[in-house]
Amino acid sequence: GGVGKTTLAVAVYNSIAGHFEASCFLENVRETSNKKGLQHLQSILLSKTVGEKKIKLTNWREGIPIIKHKLKQKKVLLILDDVDEHKHLQAIIGSPDWFGCGSRVIITTRNEHLLALHNVKITYKVRELNEKHALQLLTQKAFELEKEVDSSYNDILNRALIYASGLPLA
């Protein structure tokens, strides 16, 4: 956690969403699913992609055929953020034939096993920042500048970098 998966997903979404007929960013899938149920996430997906506002699903299995029917002809961009259970993937993206040609699904997760279990073919592992980039980000955010900082701050900056271990959120 804290390596920047969601931040990267937001940046990708914002830069390419306009190339799709429909797009949806489902943030905090784990938390939302636990609090409101998978059918709530399915309703958000249908609302954002096809304008279905009045769908009231009683359970997530009921939403599967509706998603398949409504989205199989659409070129969709869908981002699922913070997925931690296989049933999230089963309920929201099912299989590639649920969406039209050219569709893209991006999944952020801490559990690579889920991706393998769902037969995801292409993965990208977000890595921690190296020392140079970590220092650049820290000085940019802490001092609101991109040039070198006064050398009297070097000790505290180095301790902060060690503590954060390359995690941008830290």
Side-chain angles (χ1 to χ4, degrees), residues 31-88:
E31 183 181 336
T32 304
S33 169
N34 288 338
K35 288 182 179 176
K36 298 182 178 182
L38 282 168
Q39 66 273 17
H40 179 74
L41 289 164
Q42 291 173 324
S43 294
I44 293 171
L45 172 61
L46 290 166
S47 174
K48 297 266 187 183
T49 56
V50 294
E52 293 283 342
K53 304 277 187 221
K54 296 178 183 172
I55 289 188
K56 296 290 183 211
L57 303 171
T58 56
N59 65 66
W60 64 271
R61 286 180 180 81
E62 186 181 12
I64 290 173
I66 298 169
I67 293 170
K68 288 165 74 171
H69 176 73
K70 299 278 186 181
L71 297 178
K72 72 179 180 179
Q73 300 299 321
K74 285 190 177 269
K75 181 180 174 184
V76 176
L77 171 63
L78 174 59
I79 297 185
L80 303 178
D81 175 55
D82 194 21
V83 173
D84 75 336
E85 292 184 45
H86 189 239
K87 74 177 181 180
H88 297 155

